[in-house]
Amino acid sequence: MLWATHLERDRRRSVHTVRAYRAAAERLTAFLNRHWGERMDRAALSRVTAADLRGYLAFRRENGLGNASAARELSAVRGFLAWANEAAEQPRLRGPRVKRGLPRPISPAEAVALAEDVADDASEPWIGARDWAVLLLLYGAGLRIGEALTLPGGILPLGETVRVLGKRAKTRVVPLLPQVREAIEAYAAQTPWPIERDTPLFRGAKGGPLSPVMIRRAVRMARARLGLGERTTPHALRHSFATHLLGRGADLRALQELLGHASLSSTQVYTQVDAAHLMDVYRSAHPRA
């Protein structure tokens, strides 16, 4: 609990990160409790060695943990051990190598078709308008799904930009295309629930905050109907936003600001995507490719 509070209050980590890191700490302490046969406290955690961490990762891999997940798990438990005993020497263990995959954008036509299909399949017109607005925010403004669903009712009436609360409680200003503004306003005019300044703008069918699970489920069903790949997810719409902007000459630094990336290296991956797309076009079109 103290570790989770530290992450949330002092490190300003997201709710999802806090949940994942706390779970990793609980798994590690449970493993060490069985491994050593003693109660885990700060003093016991100060004795953890690289061999103990290797044993823990091996145990986790028996449950099907892949390289990327193992690397995240190791990062989480390292942070936990460093927090538990700041002065203690931390075990040195090289994490598994992870090949960073490129984002998989979809075409503009596919993005629009996906959003239209989700909206058309909704059980009520206002829910269709809601889902259309949410998905346009992901593709038209590059928001993360969590950022879109935590927008407060106070953003209304809309202007040309909207202030977004991103990771680690950092805010950024994002331009809104006319189509995105119209979609949000159409939803606001149809929703049966009162829109209040300090509550989430997007509501579930029963009036509570809209869960990202519902949007992911709707997208999963729509992509099956449209014959799109399994990697066509709500987050793929954000990838598509970034890739399409870069392909049309957007400045990398400006794109970093729009996406809310803390590091430029996170944004630079989209230059590789654009280059990969150009090579695909070259190979399919050039007579000597």
Side-chain angles (χ1 to χ4, degrees), residues 27-239:
R27 286 190 293 266
L28 176 67
T29 52
F31 169 81
L32 292 173
N33 181 272
R34 293 191 301 269
H35 185 56
W36 290 352
E38 61 179 277
R39 181 178 177 274
M40 288 296 104
D41 54 19
R42 289 179 183 262
L45 291 172
S46 68
R47 304 198 309 269
V48 173
T49 65
D52 295 321
L53 291 184
R54 277 194 293 270
Y56 172 67
L57 288 182
F59 164 73
R60 292 286 289 135
R61 282 185 176 279
E62 290 176 0
N63 298 321
L65 205 67
N67 277 6
S69 297
R72 286 193 296 268
E73 188 90 356
L74 182 59
S75 175
V77 298
R78 277 173 171 163
F80 171 60
L81 293 174
W83 168 81
N85 291 280
E86 187 176 349
E89 183 178 353
Q90 300 303 313
R92 296 185 178 183
L93 178 64
R94 179 178 296 178
R97 291 187 176 183
V98 180
K99 184 178 179 181
R100 188 172 185 178
L102 294 179
R104 298 287 182 87
I106 60 178
S107 71
E110 288 173 333
V112 172
L114 182 73
E116 287 179 340
D117 192 272
V118 169
D120 290 344
D121 191 59
S123 58
E124 296 184 47
W126 77 269
I127 292 178
R130 178 200 69 190
D131 294 350
W132 171 255
V134 169
L135 294 178
L136 282 198
L137 275 168
L138 307 188
Y139 178 63
L143 270 60
R144 301 175 178 93
I145 187 170
E147 294 170 345
L149 298 190
T150 53
L151 287 173
I155 68 169
L156 299 176
L158 294 171
E160 293 188 348
T161 62
V162 65
R163 187 172 295 275
V164 177
L165 183 64
K167 285 187 174 181
R168 303 189 186 184
K170 291 183 178 179
T171 60
R172 68 184 189 278
V173 176
V174 177
L176 289 179
L177 294 170
Q179 298 92 325
V180 179
R181 291 201 303 271
E182 290 168 7
I184 296 173
E185 288 166 352
Y187 157 72
Q190 295 180 56
T191 178
W193 308 106
I195 297 177
E196 300 174 355
R197 181 173 183 83
D198 297 323
T199 58
L201 172 64
F202 295 109
R203 303 292 190 86
K206 296 183 179 180
L210 177 59
S211 168
V213 173
M214 302 305 295
I215 298 296
R216 293 191 181 103
R217 181 183 301 164
V219 167
R220 186 168 62 248
M221 295 172 66
R223 78 185 180 213
R225 289 190 294 268
L226 296 172
L228 299 176
E230 291 186 358
R231 296 187 70 169
T232 303
T233 63
H235 203 66
L237 294 174
R238 173 174 154 91
H239 289 321

